[in-house]
């Protein structure tokens, strides 16, 4: 399965995916490109260092549709079959979602549907929840909303800060993302409405 990864920043989830592919943990798959909407994204160097082609598609005051059209073209040109959002901080247009039906996945640092949007870990921490976590889900046109593939709960300790909670969640994000991608790469799952079933 040809995987394209979209990032906007640090790229630690992207690195986890690339390393899982390169170590054979994700069989029959290849990362064909890492695309960033930010030229300054730290993840770009990390991808290059691992021998993965990188492309920057900056927004340049274009509409969401125009920007997405260029990203879709870069992905399609390389035969991308699965798009992984890994800290990609822009909402996708309807055109983007339609170009890869049920073939876009995202990781979000909360137990959705709680705390969608930016700084989910801080939102959860400020709310005072005792348990948060992370979610891997298919992407639809609404923010952090598509059918859920896997979730992992993480306890919030009294001694946690928003930063330590983020770090604790991130440790689980990498493993959870790979587990979800193993399900997708095996291709023996089905999506029924909002539910994803697999063995
Ligand atoms: C991760 O915590 C990811 O879950 C989050 O951004 C961070 C990116 O880190 N994504 C979102 O909040 C998407 N709504 P990374 O660049 O090191 O993977």
């Amino acid at each position: 399965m040809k995987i394209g990864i979209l990032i906007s920043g640090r790229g630690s989830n992207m690195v986890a995916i690339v390393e899982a592919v390169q170590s054979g943990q994700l069989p029959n798959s290849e990362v064909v490109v890492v695309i960033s909407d930010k030229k300054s994204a730290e993840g770009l160097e990390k991808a290059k260092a691992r021998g993965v082609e990188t492309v920057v598609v900056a927004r340049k005051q274009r509409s969401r549709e125009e920007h997405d059209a260029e990203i879709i073209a870069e992905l399609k040109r390389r035969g991308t079959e699965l798009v992984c959002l890994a800290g990609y901080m822009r909402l996708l247009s309807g055109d983007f979602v339609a170009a890869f039906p049920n073939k876009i996945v995202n990781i979000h640092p909360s137990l959705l549907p709680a705390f969608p949007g930016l700084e989910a870990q801080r939102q959860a921490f400020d709310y005072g929840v005792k348990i948060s976590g992370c979610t891997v889900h298919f992407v639809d046109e609404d923010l952090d909303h598509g059918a859920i593939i896997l979730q992992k709960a993480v306890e919030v300790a009294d001694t946690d800060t928003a930063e330590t909670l983020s770090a604790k969640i991130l440790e689980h994000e990498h493993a959870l993302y790979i587990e979800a991608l193993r399900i997708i790469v095996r291709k023996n799952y089905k999506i029924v409405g909002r539910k994803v079933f697999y063995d």
Side-chain angles (χ1 to χ4, degrees), residues 13-88:
N13 279 288
M14 174 276 297
V15 166
I17 298 167
V18 168
E19 290 184 346
V21 168
Q22 292 180 344
S23 67
Q25 232 188 310
L26 263 184
N28 308 318
S29 53
E30 181 195 356
V31 178
V32 291
V33 68
V34 168
I35 298 178
S36 173
D37 62 328
K38 300 258 186 302
K39 160 163 128 253
S40 59
E42 287 168 58
L44 289 167
E45 288 309 314
K46 298 177 188 170
K48 281 184 207 156
R50 287 164 178 79
V52 179
E53 188 189 359
T54 60
V55 177
V56 175
V57 181
R59 168 89 196 270
K60 291 192 240 154
Q61 270 118 39
R62 291 177 290 181
S63 70
R64 187 177 305 283
E65 284 70 22
E66 285 170 325
H67 181 226
D68 280 1
E70 189 181 340
I71 298 174
I72 294 166
E74 295 288 354
L75 291 166
K76 294 276 185 193
R77 184 175 303 147
R78 292 167 180 84
T80 303
E81 298 165 283
L82 179 70
V83 181
C84 296
L85 308 186
Y88 184 66

Side-chain angles (χ1 to χ4, degrees), residues 9-13 86-87 89 106-109 117 121 144 170 173:
R10 180 177 57 189
S12 72
N13 279 288
M89 296 315 224
N106 180 43
I107 186 148
H108 183 74
Q121 308 95 322
D144 299 324
L170 189 67
E173 287 187 36

Side-chain angles (χ1 to χ4, degrees), residues 144-192:
D144 299 324
H145 175 267
I148 290 172
I149 306 166
L150 280 173
Q151 293 187 297
K152 175 76 184 176
V154 175
E155 280 189 31
V156 184
D158 291 349
T159 49
D160 270 328
T161 60
E163 288 71 29
T164 61
L165 178 62
S166 298
K168 272 179 11 187
I169 294 173
L170 189 67
E171 278 178 33
H172 293 283
E173 287 187 36
H174 300 157
L176 195 75
Y177 214 158
I178 303 312
E179 205 182 327
L181 293 180
R182 284 174 65 88
I183 291 167
I184 294 168
V185 166
R186 280 204 309 266
K187 294 186 178 165
N188 63 344
Y189 64 93
K190 59 179 183 203
I191 307 172
V192 183

